[in-house]
Amino acid sequence: MNSTPTPSPSPSPSPSLGVGASPEDDDQQTDLLSLSWNQDYGCFAAGTSRGFRIYNSQPFKETLRRDLKAGGFKIVEMLFRCNILALVGAFPDSHYPPNKVIIWDDHQSRCIGEFAFRSEVRAVKLRKDRIVVVLDHKIYVYGFVDLKLLHQIETLANPRGLCSLSHHSNTFVLACPGLYRGQVRLQHFGLNMIKLINAHDSHLACITLTLDGLLLATASTRGTLIRIFNTMDGTRLQEVRRGVDRADIYSIALSSNVQWLAVSSDKGTVHIFSLRVRVVGEGSSSRSSPANSPPLFHQNFSTSLDGLISPSSGANPGSSLSFMRGVLPKYFSSEWSFARFHLPEDTQYIAAFGSQNTVVIVGMDGSFYRCSFDPAHGGEMLQQEYVRFLKADGQPRW
């Protein structure tokens, strides 16, 4: 596919995004076009038909709003909490078309660089040292400082813009679709290594890396199973079941202590699963955070599952017929969700983990939920907070 990039650092960029909405403009209809978490789930960005907004998730608070004179954004990608954002416009006939990436410095209130392509941009991912742009069949990796093109990766058709990055300074792992259905390509740039994992028989629907890039969680378009892999050798470490019926998976989130996994789908339920992945060197009674935890795998890692799997404080329930494994259909021996929270089925939601066994959920109807779960017994989660941050009636595609 010919989608030759034409990056331009824009030596004379437009001075602003055209911010100039007056207070009375708030009465006009504002459609919600996209939602996305920052890398540590502490904030989320909302792309709207008139600009973008940034919200803090704990405590909940709108921290930034940029309304434009014309045009809106379908992609708003944050870099933790810094002033740099990647923006992609929503409308072809606007000043910010969907085939152009704007690198925006909100402190300077100006564009500091841009990339233009021949086809629509499906996603943008940011690291402190890299900008990654996802197109339908190709991924481009640029240096953050000089916007120089460093790598190009061919993929299978990727209309969902699937791509996930690690965020530790000493590792750079990129996960994306491979060239075959259900295949994940893992690019370990620091090790100059590529690992291909045949994760699912169906097409991929969602992929998520841990911050250190050592674990990968995947779901397919069937939406029944979520699988967790070791990114170093491709070993499948755990498989959990969301349900039996087909579902469209909207998000997968991994907790910072790598103990819990959250999944949202079009079935209107956020599921929490207990992970049995052990961090090397951790005590049996506690788990360390990624920032100060030892590596999951030693330098000379083993492909054996025994050292990587351990019981956690809560266990996912299995079927009472699990002793018939290999005789009955596979779902009878599956690990089912540990905790659940029910939502309206007519809205797209993305979920993430907060502090102290809480889950935060934002929806394309402009809703924000905070709920808590019992780490020992699981079951139904309790709603702690609800906010309507934007009155959005439509259900646009992401």
Side-chain angles (χ1 to χ4, degrees), residues 151-359:
H151 308 280
Q152 301 182 44
I153 302 171
E154 299 281 347
T155 70
L156 193 65
N158 188 12
R160 296 172 182 255
L162 300 182
C163 183
S164 185
L165 309 180
S166 68
H167 291 280
H168 279 197
S169 59
N170 59 343
T171 60
F172 180 17
V173 184
L174 181 152
C176 65
L179 293 173
Y180 299 97
R181 182 180 63 190
Q183 184 184 76
V184 179
R185 175 187 176 121
L186 290 162
Q187 191 104 17
H188 294 262
F189 288 102
L191 300 175
N192 196 24
M193 179 180 79
I194 297 171
K195 189 70 187 177
L196 300 175
I197 298 176
N198 295 317
H200 298 272
D201 293 332
S202 304
H203 287 282
L204 298 171
C206 198
I207 57 176
T208 302
L209 288 168
T210 49
L211 286 176
D212 58 16
L214 294 176
L215 292 179
L216 168 74
T218 68
S220 77
T221 51
R222 284 190 57 83
T224 54
L225 299 171
I226 293 87
R227 290 171 174 155
I228 298 92
F229 297 90
N230 166 353
T231 65
M232 295 296 292
D233 64 3
T235 303
R236 191 170 79 192
L237 302 176
Q238 191 174 354
E239 176 182 277
V240 296
R241 180 173 289 275
R242 180 214 54 81
V244 177
D245 298 331
R246 182 182 293 269
D248 192 1
I249 302 296
Y250 295 144
S251 70
I252 297 175
L254 294 150
S255 65
S256 60
N257 60 11
V258 200
Q259 185 173 357
W260 307 104
L261 180 146
V263 177
S264 66
S265 74
D266 64 348
K267 295 299 183 181
T269 303
V270 172
H271 293 272
I272 306 298
F273 298 91
S274 175
L275 295 181
R276 294 182 287 107
V277 178
R278 181 175 66 85
V279 177
V280 171
E282 89 176 299
S284 58
S285 61
S286 65
R287 292 176 182 255
S288 343
S289 66
N292 54 23
S293 65
L296 179 59
F297 308 107
H298 294 296
Q299 190 169 9
N300 297 319
F301 61 85
S302 168
T303 58
S304 169
L305 295 182
D306 297 339
L308 298 173
I309 304 296
S310 70
S312 58
S313 59
N316 300 317
S319 168
S320 60
L321 298 177
S322 59
F323 68 92
M324 296 287 285
R325 187 190 306 254
V327 178
L328 294 173
K330 190 173 182 179
Y331 58 79
F332 282 110
S333 59
S334 297
E335 292 183 53
W336 297 78
S337 62
F338 176 75
R340 293 154 296 282
F341 186 72
H342 298 284
L343 297 154
E345 291 187 24
D346 58 351
T347 298
Q348 296 177 346
Y349 296 95
I350 57 173
F353 287 96
S355 61
Q356 298 178 340
N357 302 315
T358 61
V359 175

Side-chain angles (χ1 to χ4, degrees), residues 66-134:
R66 295 290 180 256
D67 287 339
L68 311 186
K69 293 177 180 177
F73 296 103
K74 69 166 189 171
I75 295 174
V76 182
E77 181 71 9
M78 301 179 67
L79 179 58
F80 291 93
R81 292 175 180 268
C82 84
N83 53 298
I84 303 297
L85 300 163
L87 307 172
V88 178
F91 310 113
D93 56 350
S94 74
H95 187 61
Y96 310 103
N99 67 322
K100 181 184 288 188
V101 178
I102 304 294
I103 306 301
W104 174 254
D105 185 335
D106 201 69
H107 281 180
Q108 300 184 51
S109 295
R110 70 184 187 97
C111 168
I112 58 173
E114 63 180 47
F115 306 88
F117 302 88
R118 295 178 184 173
S119 62
E120 187 171 339
V121 175
R122 297 300 184 184
V124 183
K125 302 295 179 181
L126 300 180
R127 274 175 52 102
K128 293 178 180 179
D129 56 355
R130 296 290 185 270
I131 299 169
V132 178
V133 180
V134 183

